[in-house]
């Protein structure tokens, strides 16, 4: 599932290729792509046509286009990428992808924007925008936050992120620190890959209780999360298969730089001890048993 760096790569592509353009036609295929839009697919396409795209925005793993419709208030087209959703900028004459679910044409006659989703867990929905109540400075999310995203905490790479406040919220949780990192209401954008990498860099086992860690230790985990996600962003994100790509269809290559995630049995880059894998929250956790000793009492 795409995490913050992968979504940010897509957002930047959208900002370059579609912001400032006006939608001339929208075509949705199948019923699932607009299932999150309560008014249905026809309402979505009717309200999108004629809208100018003002911005491509993101919080954590959540992505949206800010639309200025001709006869409506400013809206957000929220894009749920799910596990396999792709936003592609393609020539209108290009053959349709096998799992193409939506396509948007523009008044300038340039490339289409296409939504492709092999596993159909993703989708599109229109939502109202609300003022950001989490302390973002002027000019950030200037149009507001979509209603479905209001409960999501700022991520470590956005200006609204409050590191000290996040540390306090983490330390108040009597739960495993990895579980807290994955809680998008505490800190957003960190998924399984970057949680494992941040915890390894910080030398903290993911099953340590967040409440038992010191404030400096938790701050160190957050700093390493931001650090590793910036590095991944610089390499186009992490792609383990052809499902995650940027708007031009290219894969990221940060998987070559991963220290522990997906590295079961390989030597830890820091001490040489074989990396271990264990089940955690219906996922897999990867860690070095020497650099990240288990807590004495596992919860």
């Amino acid at each position: 599932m795409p995490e913050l760096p992968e979504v940010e790569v897509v957002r930047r592509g959208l900002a370059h290729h579609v912001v400032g353009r006006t939608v001339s036609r929208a075509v949705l295929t199948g019923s699932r792509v607009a299932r999150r839009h309560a008014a249905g697919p026809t309402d979505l396409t009717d309200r999108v046509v004629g809208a100018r795209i003002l911005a491509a925005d993101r919080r954590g793993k959540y992505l949206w286009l800010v639309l200025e419709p001709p006869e409506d208030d400013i809206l957000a087209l929220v894009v749920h990428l799910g596990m396999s959703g792709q936003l592609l900028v393609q020539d209108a004459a290009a053959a349709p992808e096998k799992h193409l679910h939506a396509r948007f044409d523009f008044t300038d006659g340039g490339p289409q924007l296409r939504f492709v989703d092999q596993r159909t867990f993703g989708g599109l929905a229109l939502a109202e925008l609300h003022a950001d109540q989490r302390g973002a400075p002027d000019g950030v999310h200037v149009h507001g936050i979509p209603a479905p995203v209001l409960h999501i905490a700022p991520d470590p790479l956005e200006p609204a992120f409050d590191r000290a406040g996040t540390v306090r919220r983490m330390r108040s949780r009597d739960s495993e620190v990895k579980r807290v990192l994955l809680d998008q209401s505490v800190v957003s954008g960190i998924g399984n890959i970057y949680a494992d990498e941040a915890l390894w860099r910080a030398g903290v086992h993911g099953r340590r209780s967040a409440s038992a860690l010191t404030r400096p230790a938790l701050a160190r985990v957050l700093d390493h999360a931001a650090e590793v996600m910036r590095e991944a962003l610089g390499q186009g994100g992490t792609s383990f298969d052809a499902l995650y790509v940027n708007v031009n269809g290219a894969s990221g290559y940060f998987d070559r730089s991963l220290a522990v995630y997906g590295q079961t049995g390989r030597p830890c880059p820091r001490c040489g001890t074989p990396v271990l894998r264990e089940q955690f929250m219906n996922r897999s956790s990867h860690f070095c048993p020497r650099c990240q000793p288990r807590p004495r009492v596992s919860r």
Side-chain angles (χ1 to χ4, degrees), residues 1-204:
M1 193 168 184
E3 301 180 26
L4 185 157
E6 293 75 49
V7 177
E8 174 62 12
V9 168
V10 174
R11 188 206 65 78
R12 292 181 181 183
L14 294 173
H16 180 74
H17 289 286
V18 304
V19 168
R21 303 172 73 190
T22 299
V23 179
S24 62
R25 187 175 70 139
V27 177
L28 306 185
T29 305
S31 59
R32 286 183 59 80
V33 67
R35 67 190 181 280
R36 293 181 176 87
H37 186 67
T42 301
D43 177 80
L44 190 151
T45 54
D46 287 348
R47 295 170 73 185
V48 164
V49 171
R52 187 166 68 95
I53 300 176
L54 300 179
D57 221 334
R58 176 194 60 75
R59 168 162 280 172
K61 309 175 191 179
Y62 293 79
L63 177 70
W64 64 93
L65 294 173
V66 179
L67 306 180
E68 184 180 40
E71 299 179 358
D72 207 341
D73 293 330
I74 291 176
L75 294 169
L77 178 63
V78 182
V79 182
H80 301 266
L81 294 175
M83 294 182 68
S84 59
Q86 301 172 344
L87 284 169
L88 303 174
V89 176
Q90 301 275 41
D91 191 292
E97 290 77 7
K98 182 177 179 180
H99 302 285
L100 177 63
H101 295 284
R103 61 183 185 272
F104 301 88
D105 291 296
F106 298 93
T107 56
D108 60 14
Q112 288 180 336
L113 177 63
R114 298 180 175 185
F115 180 71
V116 177
D117 190 4
Q118 177 178 320
R119 296 174 179 167
T120 66
F121 293 142
L124 309 173
L126 288 174
E128 294 182 354
L129 287 156
H130 297 268
D132 187 358
Q133 301 297 319
R134 295 181 181 263
D138 292 342
V140 179
H141 300 310
V142 64
H143 300 287
I145 302 289
V149 186
L150 284 172
H151 68 289
I152 300 301
D155 65 66
L157 300 191
E158 68 173 283
F161 183 67
D162 178 2
R163 177 174 174 265
T166 303
V167 166
R168 286 194 298 271
R169 287 194 297 276
M170 292 179 70
R171 201 157 189 265
S172 71
R173 301 295 182 97
D174 191 21
S175 183
E176 297 101 328
V177 64
K178 180 173 178 179
R179 186 182 296 269
V180 177
L181 283 175
L182 298 177
D183 185 341
Q184 303 298 294
S185 68
V186 176
V187 55
S188 69
I190 304 173
N192 206 37
I193 296 172
Y194 301 113
D196 281 0
E197 292 295 302
L199 289 165
W200 175 79
R201 292 187 180 202
V204 174

Side-chain angles (χ1 to χ4, degrees), residues 243-255:
L243 295 182
Y244 162 68
V245 294
N246 66 18
V247 297
N248 296 315
S251 297
Y253 52 93
F254 190 68
D255 58 301

